Amino acid sequence: MSSASPARPACTRVRVPGKVIISGEHAVVYGAPALACAIKKYAFAKVTNSNLLGVHLKVPEFDIDQQFSNLQLSQLGQQTQFRHQQYLTASGLLSNVVSNPVEFFAAAIGASGLVDVLLNQQGLVIELTMDLATGGGMGSSAALVAAMLAAAFKHLGQPLTPKELISKTTQSEQWQHGRSSGLDPYVCVMGGLQQYQKGCGERQELKQLSQYFLVTTGQPDSSTGECVDAVKRQNLPQALWHQFELIQENLLQCMLGDMKEDMINAISANHRLLQHIGVVPNTVADFVAKIESKGGAAKVCGAGSVVGDHGGLVFAAGIEQTHIEQLCLSHGYDVQTMVPDLEGVFYFD
């Protein structure tokens, strides 16, 4: 075993923000544009050197504390890619692509090309932490994988360009979502307010946001991939996705021009469309109705859910903070002010 390169630092730390989709969830899968914003809630990666070959992966959020050899990582990456290909050709189930979080993160490392850089070198210890809600529309999986890969490649002296990091992160997002639009990795890596369509994003001028809130209604009982599949099976007309596109354009103009009344109307219209495609649980719809009765508007800003009572993250606007706090208290929901992140991936060292 060769010794570590003198150029290799003792520690590399990276921060990647989560994101919220303000408009265009589901529609973005069908080629329509989406409006999304990075937020000041983060995934953190810390990479240090190890005397053991391979990677020691620690993710306290998922009770992961496990050592992997380079061969194990490569095999996991190849096997996961194969199962995803089976899903794409309708010969396998999406639920079989990745069975648990430890397999997901290890496979993401194995499929990223990191093992090729690690060969004949000392190993790594990778520790991931976050203050993002899991499975609720904040892009936690994309932020964690992006932070992990950004820190690991940088630590080994081969930092990834934003384009490379987005591509490698999107690969693992496909395993969870079936057919990822790539929105989450793009917005998490690039930061700011982005209009995203068909793999490309356009940064928008972000004015001071006021009275925008993020409500956590609880982790959905159906995964993003299951929601996407359920919507796909409906064979909805292209005209419906065009309605989503018109609302997204309207919302963007409202945000840029600070047109609050028009924005409330657009958010409400967006909510109705999401109800129409069946991804808003009844309990969440009741909560939204109460916000509307107070003069505000709200909508789920992730995939939502096709079963159960929890819809993940909800974006709300046009309501006084005291009112939304009271409503959330009565429903057992958490609420926070939405604070945009303008930096995207950030290297501490």
Side-chain angles (χ1 to χ4, degrees), residues 16-19 39 41-43 61 130-134 138-140 143:
V16 174
K19 69 92 189 66
I39 57 172
K41 292 287 181 179
Y42 298 100
E61 180 75 31
M130 65 176 177
D131 56 17
L132 291 160
T134 59
M138 286 190 182
S140 58

Side-chain angles (χ1 to χ4, degrees), residues 2 21 28 47 109 192 305:
S2 63
I21 299 177
V28 72
V47 177
I109 296 170
S305 188

